[in-house]
Amino acid sequence: MSATALAVSHHMILVKNVAYLSVSAVEFTDRMRQVLSNAVAHISFSGGVNEAQARLMLRNAVEVELGQPRIEHPSFAQALRCAREMLAGELIPA
C-alpha cells in the first residue's frame, strides 16, 4: 500500500468518526471541515500529490463508503454526503 493510499485510509476513519456524531444529533459540520482540511493537507504532503488530487482521492473514498450496503442510519449517510460536497467545493479552509 502506498503512502498516499495509507493516508487516505487513515483519514477516512476520522471522517467516518465525525459522521457518526450526526447519529447522536451532535453538530458535526465544523468538525468535519477541520478534519477534511487536515486530511487534504496531510495527503498532499505525504503522498506527493497536489491539493486537488488529494481532494479527489478523499472524495472518491467517501463515495466508495457511501456505496456500501451496510450504511443503515440516514444521518450517517447524510453526513458523508456533506463531506463529499465539502470536498467537491470550496467549503473547507485551505
Side-chain angles (χ1 to χ4, degrees), residues 6-86:
L6 187 60
V8 170
S9 177
H10 166 76
H11 287 289
M12 270 306 297
I13 293 169
L14 298 174
V15 168
K16 290 191 294 186
N17 284 339
V18 173
Y20 280 122
L21 292 174
S22 68
V23 175
S24 300
V26 174
E27 175 54 44
F28 68 93
T29 308
D30 290 338
R31 291 179 182 144
M32 185 67 82
R33 277 193 189 98
Q34 190 61 47
V35 165
L36 293 174
S37 178
N38 291 343
V40 168
H42 182 244
I43 293 166
S44 63
F45 176 76
S46 68
V49 296
N50 64 36
E51 184 179 302
Q53 292 169 319
R55 281 177 183 257
L56 181 61
M57 293 171 76
L58 195 55
R59 184 170 185 230
N60 288 342
V62 170
E63 288 177 358
V64 167
E65 186 64 31
L66 280 167
Q68 299 298 319
R70 70 181 184 279
I71 294 180
E72 297 176 11
H73 202 284
S75 295
F76 178 71
Q78 181 57 36
L80 288 178
R81 283 191 289 277
C82 180
R84 181 182 60 195
E85 291 170 14
M86 287 178 184

